[in-house]
Amino acid sequence: MTTNKHVLSWIEEMAALTCPDKIVWIDGSEEQAEALRREACSTGEMIKLNEEKLPGCYLHRTAVNDVARVEDRTFICTTRKEDAGNINNWMAPAEAYEKLGKLFKGAMKGRTMYVIPYSMGIVGSSFSKIGYELTDSIYVVLNMLIMTRVGTDVIKAHGDSPDFVKGLHAKADLDEKNRYIVHFPEDNTIWSVNSGYGGNVLLGKKCFALRIASWLGRKEGWMAEHMLILGIEKPDGETRYICAAFPSACGKTNLAMLIPPAFLREKGYKVYTVGDDIAWLRVGEDGRLWAQNPENGFFGVAPGTNEQSNPNALATTKKDTIFTNVVHNLDDNTVWWEGLDKNPPKNAVDWKGNPWDCTKYNKADKSTCGAHPNSRFTAKAINCPCLSKEFNNPNGVPIDAIVFGGRRAKTAPLVYQSFDWEHGSFVGSIMASETTAAAAGAVGVVRRDPMAMRPFVGYNMGDYFAHWLEMGGKIPHPPKIFHVNWFRTDDDGNFIWPGFGDNLRVLLWMLDRCDGKVGAEKTAIGYVPNPEDIDITGLDLDKKTLEELLSVDKDSWLADIQNIREFYALIGDTVPAALQEQLNALEERLSK
Ligand code: OXD
Ligand code: MN
């Protein structure tokens, strides 16, 4: 398939280590993909679903001990520990190669090694980067075929270059005590062993497009961020683009695919999806920041996805989709998950492969769920009804606004705008959110998650902050930076803001701010909307509640300051002085 000697000698070395029975190159053809699907169904690795109702769709179950990203087993291996920083787990590269080398030794005996040549980003675009993943899992191959651009075109575009990301994955025996997701940014290398869960094994996604790419971005003067990209078409036909960073499973896919409320639809507003998870951002010749989605599909959280919350995502999953860890409806050979509709199947198998009795389902007890809370769909971007026509534009799209957000029951108001890029970088650096099921560990605990990148920065978090500040100096016309919180609750714990499509009302306020069309109140934390500037037409929300949503509770902010100081201290002395000064200034403003 290739004559690239750098690729060939690396594959030879990895094959000598893992000892596969055979090596198969993935060419990106439909014939080969279909043969692999058939093989996976014949071994039980996948189940073919109802061809009439869900054409081209399959169900897969991971091992029960292997259902989410494992941050405690994820490592950044740099020569100097300080280059990985205190937030990442670190191992010396030699130690990691030796330790994992033992786990990979002979791991593919009796198995096939698949070679997946893939491009993150449009093949051949100057935005894009090439990787090769070696894996012994057909499930990984079929997911990578959806999530990335794979095959002979990539090999051609790569040519003889020594520049590519080398990914090695083996399921081995799925032993969680020996599960490792390890990155060697100095060598452009990723090794993943003993897992079959997407976030740990689809190496183009979190491992390459965020951890390795963030390292490369710092070196080369661009940014790799955990951000969705959406376009808002206004009634006059102009489309404006926004990037937004929220922690995992906090609604990025829903926001990226939102459907405007009826009164805005009638006025002519439309929303288009460019990406739902990752953005690569570069400074364009026009001095603006341009974004491209390096992925080619969506690896979305299934539970909660329904006709109301995200009809576009649901429509996207109706064909050519791989469902992982959802309920199997045996009556019509389709799938189901909590929150899909109110008709759970009667004759069903749960995500663990056991018969599932929907009458025993109790919302408060996750162990009664039929689908795992982090169950997923892997779906093709081209099947998304609201995909942007710029999705395949090799130049990306110009960004007007960057939005940070998290799940906070109380502290953060519905929306505020930072004073400038430096303050906006500070706002990103102090982001916090209540944890979700996307990563292993307790759910619902507040943790600081700067720029939603805590699990994904491939180097020292303080240096990452410095990179944000440096980039500010390189963007003559930077986007405005905002912070949102869709998850504010009342004293009974109910969400106050309706969310979903109605979030467009807040995005439109942002665009008005970008255009200097509306004023705002300057508060200690940033610019907060004048309530009359958020259009609440048709909402069951009075002005007083809106004021409550926009209020800044100084005491809870002051209580947060100490927590932020501790977090900065944890990162250490790489936190830029400018951000420490921003924190002091915030405290001073709040104390006035
Ligand atoms: C994801 C995640 O899968 O952030 O996108 O965990
Ligand atoms: Mn994500």
Side-chain angles (χ1 to χ4, degrees):
M1 288 277 285
T2 185
T3 51
N4 183 315
K5 59 181 191 313
H6 311 282
V7 174
L8 291 174
S9 68
W10 165 68
I11 295 177
E12 204 178 305
E13 199 190 325
M14 295 303 104
L17 173 65
T18 55
C19 308
D21 278 11
K22 58 178 180 170
I23 298 179
V24 171
W25 281 75
I26 301 302
D27 59 15
S29 70
E30 180 48 31
E31 298 71 48
Q32 188 185 43
E34 188 49 31
L36 289 171
R37 288 180 204 118
R38 272 202 300 275
E39 187 178 337
C41 290
S42 74
T43 61
E45 188 175 352
M46 295 208 309
I47 296 169
K48 168 111 184 81
L49 296 168
N50 185 322
E51 184 60 22
E52 263 95 68
K53 293 192 175 173
L54 293 169
C57 292
Y58 294 82
L59 170 65
H60 170 81
R61 296 188 196 103
T62 63
V64 292
N65 73 2
D66 190 24
V67 291
R69 286 184 289 99
V70 278
E71 291 176 12
D72 57 330
R73 318 232 31 118
T74 299
F75 288 79
I76 302 294
C77 301
T78 45
T79 310
R80 295 169 354 133
K81 186 173 187 309
E82 54 271 37
D83 288 339
N86 295 336
I87 300 296
N88 284 311
N89 301 314
W90 174 84
M91 234 192 288
E95 183 193 339
Y97 280 127
E98 201 197 317
K99 194 181 191 105
L100 272 77
K102 287 189 187 134
L103 300 173
F104 275 115
K105 194 159 195 264
M108 295 191 192
K109 252 188 214 140
R111 304 178 62 84
T112 300
M113 172 190 272
Y114 299 97
V115 180
I116 312 171
Y118 66 97
S119 172
M120 296 314 292
I122 291 121
V123 180
S125 145
S126 56
F127 252 97
S128 304
K129 300 243 171 229
I130 284 172
Y132 287 73
E133 175 164 356
L134 311 180
T135 178
D136 58 357
S137 158
I138 296 182
Y139 171 75
V140 168
V141 172
L142 295 172
N143 274 269
M144 287 291 283
L145 281 166
I146 296 174
M147 294 303 297
T148 70
R149 292 151 172 102
V150 174
T152 39
D153 290 359
V154 176
I155 294 172
K156 215 160 131 207
H158 187 205
D160 292 330
S161 166
D163 186 17
F164 64 101
V165 171
K166 308 175 187 79
L168 176 65
H169 164 248
K171 286 200 298 192
D173 44 17
L174 298 177
D175 171 7
E176 53 192 322
K177 293 198 195 66
N178 278 312
R179 183 169 298 153
Y180 287 98
I181 321 299
V182 173
H183 308 71
F184 304 91
E186 291 155 353
D187 302 342
N188 260 352
T189 295
I190 306 157
W191 279 12
S192 165
V193 66
N194 275 310
S195 176
Y197 168 73
N200 299 327
V201 300
L202 308 180
L203 300 185
K205 191 171 177 63
K206 303 298 182 181
C207 299
F208 177 171
L210 288 175
R211 299 195 188 97
I212 296 288
S214 61
W215 170 283
L216 294 173
R218 178 179 178 225
K219 203 165 77 180
E220 298 166 3
W222 54 282
M223 303 163 91
E225 298 296 333
H226 193 199
M227 290 179 179
L228 65 89
I229 312 166
L230 63 77
I232 300 174
E233 187 182 315
K234 308 221 283 190
D236 64 6
E238 186 199 22
T239 303
R240 311 283 291 274
Y241 295 92
I242 291 180
C243 281
F246 303 134
S248 306
C250 284
K252 282 203 301 299
T253 308
N254 290 348
L255 188 65
M257 298 183 188
L258 78 75
I259 297 197
F263 86 102
L264 289 173
R265 266 199 322 269
E266 278 151 23
K267 283 188 186 172
Y269 285 94
K270 295 187 185 117
V271 171
Y272 295 104
T273 309
V274 182
D276 79 327
D277 195 42
I278 297 176
W280 284 1
L281 301 152
R282 292 173 203 259
V283 187
E285 277 164 18
D286 59 357
R288 302 178 68 191
L289 195 61
W290 288 68
Q292 193 187 88
N293 171 12
E295 301 190 282
N296 205 22
F298 309 115
F299 182 61
V301 177
T305 305
N306 59 47
E307 268 312 334
Q308 281 71 45
S309 66
N310 196 338
N312 283 320
L314 203 57
T316 311
T317 65
K318 293 296 178 199
K319 58 177 182 181
D320 312 328
T321 296
I322 300 173
F323 297 94
T324 302
N325 291 341
V326 296
V327 176
H328 190 193
N329 180 347
L330 297 179
D331 281 336
D332 65 354
N333 192 23
T334 57
V335 288
W336 190 85
W337 50 78
E338 278 71 20
L340 174 63
D341 55 37
K342 297 215 158 50
N343 307 310
K346 306 278 171 300
N347 179 17
V349 169
D350 70 8
W351 68 272
K352 294 181 184 162
N354 299 321
W356 182 61
D357 180 354
C358 65
T359 61
K360 303 247 163 70
Y361 172 60
N362 163 10
K363 204 171 175 196
D365 178 1
K366 292 279 181 234
S367 72
T368 63
C369 285
H372 188 274
N374 191 36
S375 53
R376 299 279 178 150
F377 54 80
T378 317
K380 290 181 178 174
I382 47 160
N383 289 341
C384 177
C386 58
L387 192 69
S388 164
K389 63 180 186 336
E390 302 301 331
F391 178 73
N392 279 318
N393 186 335
N395 300 320
V397 293
I399 299 302
D400 282 301
I402 288 179
V403 183
F404 293 122
R407 267 173 201 268
R408 291 307 294 273
K410 293 290 171 210
T411 315
L414 177 63
V415 58
Y416 66 99
Q417 181 190 348
S418 64
F419 298 125
D420 53 29
W421 181 274
E422 182 182 295
H423 179 239
S425 305
F426 167 71
V427 168
S429 81
I430 64 168
M431 246 172 82
S433 193
E434 287 144 28
T435 50
T436 67
V443 169
V445 178
V446 172
R447 79 161 181 173
R448 307 232 80 91
D449 189 352
M451 285 85 170
M453 282 288 280
R454 182 176 181 146
F456 307 123
V457 178
Y459 58 100
N460 187 313
M461 185 64 83
D463 294 337
Y464 168 74
F465 292 165
H467 181 53
W468 262 82
L469 296 177
E470 257 164 48
M471 285 300 295
K474 289 185 186 153
I475 316 168
H477 309 295
K480 302 257 185 285
I481 301 180
F482 298 84
H483 186 282
V484 297
N485 177 21
W486 315 131
F487 300 94
R488 196 137 160 179
T489 55
D490 62 18
D491 291 339
D492 299 326
N494 304 310
F495 293 122
I496 315 180
W497 178 249
F500 301 108
D502 290 309
N503 292 335
L504 180 59
R505 300 165 192 261
V506 176
L507 302 183
L508 291 180
W509 175 79
M510 293 176 191
L511 291 182
D512 281 348
R513 287 292 294 164
C514 292
D515 296 341
K517 283 193 183 151
V518 289
E521 190 193 340
K522 190 169 186 185
T523 71
I525 61 166
Y527 296 109
V528 172
N530 296 315
E532 60 276 17
D533 291 330
I534 303 267
D535 192 338
I536 53 170
T537 308
L539 283 187
D540 182 19
L541 191 92
D542 54 30
K543 188 152 176 265
K544 194 163 159 288
T545 314
L546 184 60
E547 278 166 11
E548 151 74 16
L549 271 167
L550 296 173
S551 64
V552 179
D553 175 357
K554 287 194 176 181
D555 289 338
S556 65
W557 275 88
L558 279 166
D560 230 26
I561 296 271
Q562 187 49 30
N563 185 275
I564 299 168
R565 286 204 192 287
E566 281 161 22
F567 182 60
Y568 273 10
L570 181 70
I571 298 171
D573 56 14
T574 50
V575 173
L579 294 193
Q580 297 280 12
E581 281 156 25
Q582 287 281 350
L583 182 55
N584 294 338
L586 172 63
E587 188 172 29
E588 216 174 287
R589 290 194 299 271
L590 287 165
S591 311
K592 257 189 204 150

